[in-house]
Amino acid sequence: MSKPVKNIVLFGFMGTGKSAVAGLLGERLHYPVVEMDDLIEEREGMLISRIFTEKGEAYFRQRERELVKDLSREGGKIIATGGGVVLNPDNIRDFEKTGIVLCLTARPEVILSRVENETHRPLLEVENRLEKIKKLLAARRPFYDRIKDRIDTSDLSIEEVGERIIARPCSKSLFNHEEHEVHEGI
Ligand code: S3P
């Protein structure tokens, strides 16, 4: 059996479904799932929120950058990026070398409903979350728009998003030949 050659890399704002979809794709495609935020917390030995308060956002972005370099060296993984990884164009370019790159999107109100009960995102620990989400989305739009393959997850289930990704013509290159033939024969 040949080794899968590519990663699937999910970009997108907080609450667009990156982690949930990555988990589903990992199960369906039998690929290991990498959560960038989890790996940074492991490497740094502290939670993201603490990294932000103690070391600052710029330090966090540097750790993200280092991790992108490491993860983009070879394929075979589903990677859920953090919502701000897109802010450095080098990160997109590196991931494109070894991966299929997609951007998940969602309407601000949907994002709010998905993150409402969570407290682990330092950028959303503010009085008016909806306003902050809209502001950040507007500022980041040109960065997310650099990724041409986008899926609006607002009205889709995790399964539906996963199916759309698997059905993408580019995803065919993810399956090694033997497995692909078996799937097609069923
Ligand atoms: C961030 C998104 C978070 C996390 C950090 C910063 C951002 O990841 O990396 O809080 O700048 O959008 P998720 O998108 O997984 O919540």
Side-chain angles (χ1 to χ4, degrees):
M1 252 194 265
S2 58
K3 200 167 175 267
V5 286
K6 291 203 170 166
N7 294 316
I8 300 183
V9 187
L10 301 178
F11 285 92
F13 196 77
M14 298 170 265
T16 52
K18 301 180 298 284
S19 302
V21 173
L24 180 103
L25 289 174
E27 272 173 32
R28 295 272 165 89
L29 303 175
H30 307 290
Y31 268 42
V33 177
V34 177
E35 279 280 348
M36 283 191 61
D37 285 345
D38 291 352
L39 262 184
I40 290 174
E41 287 185 341
E42 249 174 58
R43 283 183 174 189
E44 293 295 303
M46 65 173 89
L47 296 174
I48 303 280
S49 49
R50 230 180 111 207
I51 300 175
F52 267 70
T53 49
E54 288 189 12
K55 306 201 166 180
E57 183 173 346
Y59 176 88
F60 175 72
R61 298 300 173 205
Q62 284 164 9
R63 302 289 79 74
E64 280 187 324
R65 176 73 196 121
E66 278 166 13
L67 185 54
V68 169
K69 285 187 193 163
D70 293 345
L71 292 174
S72 60
R73 285 205 180 95
E74 58 174 12
K77 311 173 281 300
I78 313 286
I79 300 171
T81 66
V85 172
V86 77
L87 297 172
N88 185 340
D90 289 344
N91 289 339
I92 305 177
R93 216 192 36 229
D94 282 351
F95 272 141
E96 277 174 339
K97 285 183 197 154
T98 46
I100 293 168
V101 164
L102 295 117
C103 185
L104 305 185
T105 67
R107 293 188 296 274
E109 293 74 13
V110 174
I111 290 172
L112 178 67
S113 71
R114 290 178 183 164
V115 302
E116 214 151 29
N117 298 317
E118 297 178 349
T119 54
H120 65 277
R121 295 179 174 94
L123 295 177
L124 297 183
E125 288 309 300
V126 294
E127 193 75 36
N128 189 335
R129 274 193 176 177
L130 184 59
E131 194 187 308
K132 184 72 187 280
I133 289 167
K134 285 181 177 170
K135 255 192 191 163
L136 277 175
L137 273 177
R140 290 181 177 186
R141 186 165 313 284
F143 296 94
Y144 292 121
D145 282 357
R146 282 170 188 248
I147 299 164
K148 295 298 161 229
D149 198 350
R150 293 194 290 274
I151 299 176
D152 185 346
T153 67
S154 301
D155 303 310
L156 298 175
S157 66
I158 295 158
E159 283 74 19
E160 285 168 326
V161 179
E163 276 159 23
R164 283 181 194 209
I165 293 173
I166 292 169
R168 290 275 198 276
C170 59
S171 295
K172 296 276 177 275
S173 62
L174 294 166
F175 301 100
N176 68 48
H177 296 302
E178 281 173 45
E179 273 191 23
H180 190 43
E181 275 161 25
V182 173
H183 281 299
E184 283 193 333
I186 290 169

